[in-house]
Amino acid sequence: MPKLQKSKDKKEALLYATLNLVNSSGFQGASMSKVAKVANVSPATIYLYFENKQDLINQLYLKVKKEFSERAFHGIDVAEPVKRIFEQIWFNIASFKMEHPEEGSFLAQCDNTPMLDPEIREQGLLYLDPLLAIWKRGQEEGIIKPVSPYVLYAFTIYPMAFLLNEEVRPHCPLNKEKLSEAFKVAWDSIKV
Amino acid sequence: MPKLQKSKDKKEALLYATLNLVNSSGFQGASMSKVAKVANVSPATIYLYFENKQDLINQLYLKVKKEFSERAFHGIDVAEPVKRIFEQIWFNIASFKMEHPEEGSFLAQCDNTPMLDPEIREQGLLYLDPLLAIWKRGQEEGIIKPVSPYVLYAFTIYPMAFLLNEEVRPHCPLNKEKLSEAFKVAWDSIKV
Amino acid sequence: MPKLQKSKDKKEALLYATLNLVNSSGFQGASMSKVAKVANVSPATIYLYFENKQDLINQLYLKVKKEFSERAFHGIDVAEPVKRIFEQIWFNIASFKMEHPEEGSFLAQCDNTPMLDPEIREQGLLYLDPLLAIWKRGQEEGIIKPVSPYVLYAFTIYPMAFLLNEEVRPHCPLNKEKLSEAFKVAWDSIKV
Amino acid sequence: MPKLQKSKDKKEALLYATLNLVNSSGFQGASMSKVAKVANVSPATIYLYFENKQDLINQLYLKVKKEFSERAFHGIDVAEPVKRIFEQIWFNIASFKMEHPEEGSFLAQCDNTPMLDPEIREQGLLYLDPLLAIWKRGQEEGIIKPVSPYVLYAFTIYPMAFLLNEEVRPHCPLNKEKLSEAFKVAWDSIKV
DNA sequence: TATGAATGAGTATTCATTCAT
DNA sequence: AATGAATGAATACTCATTCAT
């Protein structure tokens, strides 16, 4: 199926082009014709793969969020204790943001923009469900504070968007040691 | 001084219109003509008060950030102990975000967008300097972890943008008690 | 090749519309939207064929100048004596200006406007190189005054822009006889 | 009458500002607000002295043309022979164009633009009437060719606009000797 | 006389999208 | 599946002009 392959390549290229353009110049900077040009494709071709610009952005968000989540839960062993699992997830996320700054920056930009459809944003959050399960277990074991998962997320995961942001990083470089410090801060916030 | 007043009113109206439009439809949605229409003014009039769109957004950001900061440090008594001061600031910020959701949402949207000039963003951060001083004092007194202020900010202040976000609030309502819980989470994260 | 043809037609129409609008209302009067309207085309379409307004004007200038030059040197036989050749060129130019008043008027308007890029103007002058060669030959043969070609041009060719100008023509009608008189004036000016 | 004086100054300043702006960026570049800014005056003030932009340009044209003519006929002694008089006028004009390149360039730009009202242009030409009288006398004396004054103008005066143009001058520098050569060319063209 | 503020209509240009091929 | 050409509506911004003071 070489044709299908080729198509996939094109869709990939379009998503990638959009990612870069949104990062460098915001949602408004990622015009369809620029996306097409960067992806080496005709503007009309975009509409073979995406309904419209909104759909393009939605799909891109879900794709990146999915990659992000897969990485977050990579190598997790549920047999391990809660703190250990959480630690691993936390560092996985940090690694993702450091190794894929483009994706990280894009997700951060999505965090508070009205450009994203609310349903899509919700859908993206679902990818993090396993983390909620871990937290719940931790709460049942009495080692994590009995507060809303939104609070847990806000004080442990969300801060990383700021800390690993490309504009902040130069001011606050994070080597292995500093990163461990940061994790301790995160853990202290929610541990009982 | 009716003349000066009239002008100030118009500038105010333009900034307010921009705030609302950016909130509802992003930076690209806040087109100059829409801003003009909402402010009940001719598009050309905008350029009497602002050099261009970028300047409009920059000025709006600085204005809101200033209001935000003034509120954050309102009623602070430096004679009090560090934890008490920090607590007050934290709740001040929470109050601001709850009472001025429009401003809060706008600032959140500014956090990770490339639409803002970096120098302006930096300038906005200066408003928070007093908080850094408090933290430093706390660190000297040995009651706050000796980590970068960026880390302290990321894990105590930044989370509020998420928690008090208009899309999240419905899922995670915060009454007085829940808010206190959240503060405890924040404080635990950075206290020694 | 119907596709290419269609495109050429549109580009042609745009250039023609610009020519007329510049003639009737100057460079500022030839606004992109008017050009589009006259050419029966969307404003956006102009940008498929021209980079921007400057490019549109540059291309128009070069095209008209080229047509002008081709006509000027049409049917020239270099075996003939210099005066005969020059006479033929001179009348060719006169014919062009009389039969194509639009083009003539446009070129005249280009002569002294800062709207034209200097490099483009220079490029346009190159089309007249063959005339310089004739003059040089005439000077070597000792039948044309040994002065700068700029002077020769100023006193023999440039005057036609005035004389055949649409506003002057009514005041000074030129039949065949009068035209011959004028040529004599031109020739007397530079002959030894 | 200090007030009237002051007014005159302002009008002068406005005309001067327009002259410079038209020279540097064409008629479209000389926007009313730019003119006002350069003249250090409010845009509204322009309308105290001129009906509208067209009137401003018309008045400027007539003023410059008048200065030009006054200079052209300066020091003429009608008792002298025709050739001598014409020679003096010709050199007067050349001097004007060399000493007042701004004015010269402006007049050249006016020559073939539709921006000028035809009646105004005609009015400007009237200033040259004395030259026509000289030519008529020369024709009656049998020393100037019996052709239309438009032809005489085209081949003797009009060429100077080209030759002394700021873009051409660098390519064809005119010292005293070269200028005399050029005058000879002009005179040869129309002398019997 | 002089102005700063104001504006509706206009400027060049770009947008997301469609369509014939 | 893929496209180049095409476009109406929108973009940020400027224009000549007016008016209350």
Side-chain angles (χ1 to χ4, degrees):
Chain A
M1 40 183 162
K3 268 201 173 165
L4 190 66
Q5 192 52 42
K6 205 179 177 190
S7 304
K8 259 218 154 173
D9 282 359
K10 245 164 212 171
K11 189 169 182 181
E12 278 315 302
L14 283 166
L15 288 166
Y16 187 65
T18 308
L19 178 72
N20 284 346
L21 282 166
V22 168
N23 273 336
S24 60
S25 13
F27 288 100
Q28 77 179 292
S31 77
M32 297 302 257
S33 47
K34 276 186 205 152
V35 166
K37 199 168 289 169
V38 172
N40 231 9
V41 139
S42 160
T45 303
I46 303 182
Y47 292 86
L48 296 177
Y49 298 98
F50 306 95
E51 241 176 78
N52 48 36
K53 189 176 179 178
Q54 187 66 60
D55 183 40
L56 168 59
I57 284 173
N58 287 346
Q59 287 202 36
L60 174 58
Y61 173 74
L62 289 177
K63 173 184 182 318
V64 176
K65 197 83 180 179
K66 193 174 171 220
E67 285 168 12
F68 167 82
S69 311
E70 280 169 0
R71 177 63 180 270
F73 299 118
H74 178 77
I76 295 302
D77 178 359
V78 289
E80 303 234 33
V82 162
K83 183 186 170 183
R84 179 78 194 93
I85 294 176
F86 174 67
E87 188 175 8
Q88 234 174 305
I89 293 173
W90 195 93
F91 277 99
N92 276 346
I93 290 174
S95 299
F96 179 85
K97 289 200 190 265
M98 293 179 83
E99 289 162 23
H100 302 280
E102 294 292 330
E103 278 79 1
S105 165
F106 174 76
L107 287 180
Q109 200 171 157
C110 285
D111 268 342
N112 289 295
T113 182
M115 300 317 299
L116 216 57
D117 281 348
E119 318 95 70
I120 296 295
R121 195 194 303 278
E122 202 112 1
Q123 205 175 319
L125 284 179
L126 291 184
Y127 286 125
L128 286 180
D129 264 357
L131 180 55
L132 302 197
I134 305 295
W135 279 335
K136 204 168 170 215
R137 199 175 115 198
Q139 290 175 325
E140 284 162 2
E141 293 177 9
I143 61 177
I144 288 182
K145 290 177 184 150
V147 297
S148 158
Y150 285 94
V151 172
L152 300 179
Y153 179 82
F155 285 92
T156 57
I157 307 300
Y158 192 69
M160 284 195 272
F162 176 83
L163 222 48
L164 299 168
N165 170 312
E166 283 184 295
E167 245 179 280
V168 170
R169 282 261 284 287
H171 295 101
C172 176
L174 291 172
N175 53 26
K176 221 171 177 182
E177 191 188 355
K178 297 271 181 200
L179 206 59
S180 289
E181 264 178 32
F183 172 71
K184 183 168 164 38
V185 172
W187 177 249
D188 284 353
S189 74
I190 63 169
K191 77 150 190 258
V192 170
Chain B
M1 43 181 158
K3 230 183 181 176
L4 192 67
Q5 195 52 43
K6 208 176 173 190
S7 304
K8 261 218 155 169
D9 282 359
K10 240 161 219 173
K11 188 169 184 181
E12 225 41 57
L14 283 166
L15 288 166
Y16 187 65
T18 308
L19 177 72
N20 285 348
L21 281 166
V22 169
N23 274 336
S24 60
S25 11
F27 287 98
Q28 78 177 296
S31 77
M32 296 306 254
S33 52
K34 276 186 203 154
V35 167
K37 201 166 284 171
V38 171
N40 228 8
V41 137
S42 159
T45 302
I46 304 182
Y47 294 86
L48 295 178
Y49 298 98
F50 305 95
E51 243 175 78
N52 48 38
K53 188 175 179 177
Q54 188 66 60
D55 182 40
L56 169 58
I57 284 174
N58 287 346
Q59 286 202 36
L60 175 56
Y61 172 74
L62 288 177
K63 173 182 168 353
V64 175
K65 197 84 181 182
K66 194 178 171 215
E67 285 168 12
F68 167 83
S69 311
E70 279 169 1
R71 176 64 181 268
F73 300 117
H74 179 75
I76 295 302
D77 178 0
V78 289
E80 304 233 34
V82 162
K83 181 185 173 185
R84 179 79 193 92
I85 293 177
F86 175 67
E87 186 175 10
Q88 235 173 304
I89 293 173
W90 195 92
F91 278 99
N92 276 347
I93 290 174
S95 300
F96 179 86
K97 292 205 188 260
M98 294 180 83
E99 289 162 24
H100 302 280
E102 295 290 331
E103 278 79 1
S105 164
F106 174 77
L107 287 180
Q109 200 171 156
C110 286
D111 270 340
N112 288 296
T113 182
M115 301 316 300
L116 216 57
D117 280 350
E119 318 97 71
I120 296 293
R121 195 195 302 279
E122 203 113 358
Q123 206 175 321
L125 283 179
L126 291 184
Y127 286 125
L128 287 181
D129 265 357
L131 180 54
L132 302 197
I134 305 297
W135 279 335
K136 202 167 171 219
R137 199 176 115 197
Q139 290 174 326
E140 284 161 3
E141 293 177 9
I143 62 178
I144 287 182
K145 291 179 183 147
V147 297
S148 158
Y150 285 94
V151 172
L152 301 178
Y153 180 83
F155 285 92
T156 59
I157 308 299
Y158 191 69
M160 285 195 271
F162 176 82
L163 221 47
L164 298 168
N165 171 311
E166 284 183 294
E167 249 180 275
V168 169
R169 282 261 284 288
H171 297 101
C172 176
L174 290 172
N175 53 25
K176 221 171 175 183
E177 192 188 354
K178 298 270 182 201
L179 206 58
S180 288
E181 265 177 32
F183 172 71
K184 186 169 163 35
V185 173
W187 178 249
D188 284 352
S189 73
I190 63 170
K191 76 150 191 254
V192 170
Chain C
M1 43 180 158
K3 232 184 181 175
L4 191 67
Q5 194 52 43
K6 210 177 173 189
S7 304
K8 261 217 155 170
D9 282 358
K10 241 162 217 171
K11 188 169 184 182
E12 224 43 55
L14 283 166
L15 289 167
Y16 188 65
T18 308
L19 177 72
N20 286 346
L21 282 165
V22 168
N23 274 336
S24 59
S25 13
F27 287 99
Q28 78 178 295
S31 76
M32 297 304 256
S33 51
K34 277 185 202 153
V35 166
K37 201 166 285 169
V38 171
N40 230 7
V41 137
S42 159
T45 302
I46 304 182
Y47 293 86
L48 295 178
Y49 298 98
F50 305 95
E51 242 175 77
N52 49 36
K53 187 176 180 177
Q54 188 66 57
D55 183 40
L56 168 58
I57 284 173
N58 287 346
Q59 286 202 35
L60 175 57
Y61 173 74
L62 288 178
K63 172 183 170 349
V64 176
K65 197 84 180 181
K66 194 176 172 216
E67 284 167 13
F68 166 84
S69 312
E70 280 169 359
R71 176 63 180 269
F73 301 116
H74 179 76
I76 296 302
D77 178 0
V78 289
E80 304 233 34
V82 162
K83 182 186 172 183
R84 180 77 194 94
I85 293 176
F86 174 65
E87 187 174 9
Q88 235 174 306
I89 292 172
W90 195 92
F91 278 99
N92 276 346
I93 290 174
S95 300
F96 179 86
K97 290 203 189 263
M98 293 179 83
E99 289 162 23
H100 302 281
E102 295 292 330
E103 278 78 2
S105 164
F106 173 76
L107 286 181
Q109 200 172 156
C110 286
D111 269 341
N112 289 295
T113 183
M115 301 316 300
L116 215 58
D117 280 350
E119 320 95 71
I120 296 294
R121 196 195 301 279
E122 203 113 0
Q123 207 176 320
L125 284 180
L126 291 185
Y127 286 126
L128 286 181
D129 265 357
L131 180 55
L132 303 196
I134 305 297
W135 279 335
K136 201 167 173 218
R137 199 175 115 198
Q139 291 174 326
E140 284 161 2
E141 294 177 8
I143 61 176
I144 287 181
K145 290 177 183 150
V147 298
S148 156
Y150 285 94
V151 172
L152 301 178
Y153 180 83
F155 286 92
T156 58
I157 308 298
Y158 191 68
M160 285 195 271
F162 176 82
L163 221 48
L164 299 167
N165 171 309
E166 283 183 296
E167 248 181 273
V168 170
R169 282 261 284 288
H171 296 99
C172 177
L174 291 172
N175 53 26
K176 222 173 176 182
E177 193 187 353
K178 299 269 182 200
L179 205 58
S180 289
E181 266 177 30
F183 172 71
K184 185 169 165 34
V185 172
W187 177 249
D188 284 352
S189 73
I190 62 169
K191 76 152 190 254
V192 171
Chain D
M1 45 185 160
K3 269 203 171 162
L4 190 67
Q5 191 52 43
K6 207 177 174 191
S7 304
K8 259 218 153 172
D9 282 0
K10 244 163 212 171
K11 189 170 182 181
E12 279 313 303
L14 284 167
L15 288 167
Y16 188 65
T18 308
L19 178 73
N20 285 346
L21 282 166
V22 168
N23 272 336
S24 60
S25 12
F27 288 98
Q28 76 179 292
S31 78
M32 296 302 257
S33 48
K34 275 187 204 151
V35 167
K37 197 168 289 169
V38 171
N40 230 10
V41 138
S42 159
T45 302
I46 304 183
Y47 292 85
L48 297 177
Y49 298 98
F50 305 95
E51 242 175 78
N52 49 35
K53 188 177 180 178
Q54 186 67 59
D55 183 40
L56 168 59
I57 284 174
N58 287 345
Q59 286 202 36
L60 174 57
Y61 173 73
L62 288 177
K63 173 185 182 316
V64 176
K65 196 83 180 182
K66 193 174 169 221
E67 286 168 11
F68 167 82
S69 312
E70 281 169 0
R71 177 62 181 270
F73 300 117
H74 179 76
I76 295 302
D77 177 359
V78 290
E80 303 232 34
V82 162
K83 182 185 171 184
R84 179 79 193 93
I85 294 177
F86 174 67
E87 187 175 7
Q88 235 173 306
I89 293 172
W90 196 92
F91 277 99
N92 276 345
I93 289 174
S95 300
F96 179 86
K97 290 200 190 263
M98 293 180 83
E99 288 163 22
H100 302 280
E102 294 292 330
E103 279 78 3
S105 165
F106 173 78
L107 287 180
Q109 201 172 156
C110 285
D111 268 341
N112 289 295
T113 181
M115 301 317 299
L116 216 55
D117 281 348
E119 318 97 68
I120 297 295
R121 194 194 302 278
E122 203 113 1
Q123 205 175 322
L125 284 180
L126 290 185
Y127 287 125
L128 286 181
D129 264 357
L131 180 54
L132 302 197
I134 305 296
W135 278 336
K136 205 170 169 214
R137 201 176 113 196
Q139 289 175 326
E140 284 161 1
E141 294 177 9
I143 61 177
I144 288 182
K145 288 177 185 152
V147 297
S148 158
Y150 284 95
V151 173
L152 300 178
Y153 179 82
F155 285 92
T156 59
I157 307 301
Y158 191 69
M160 285 194 271
F162 175 83
L163 222 47
L164 299 167
N165 171 311
E166 282 183 296
E167 244 180 282
V168 171
R169 283 260 284 287
H171 295 101
C172 176
L174 291 172
N175 53 26
K176 221 171 175 185
E177 193 188 354
K178 298 269 181 200
L179 206 57
S180 290
E181 265 177 30
F183 172 71
K184 185 169 164 35
V185 172
W187 177 250
D188 285 352
S189 74
I190 63 169
K191 76 152 193 250
V192 169

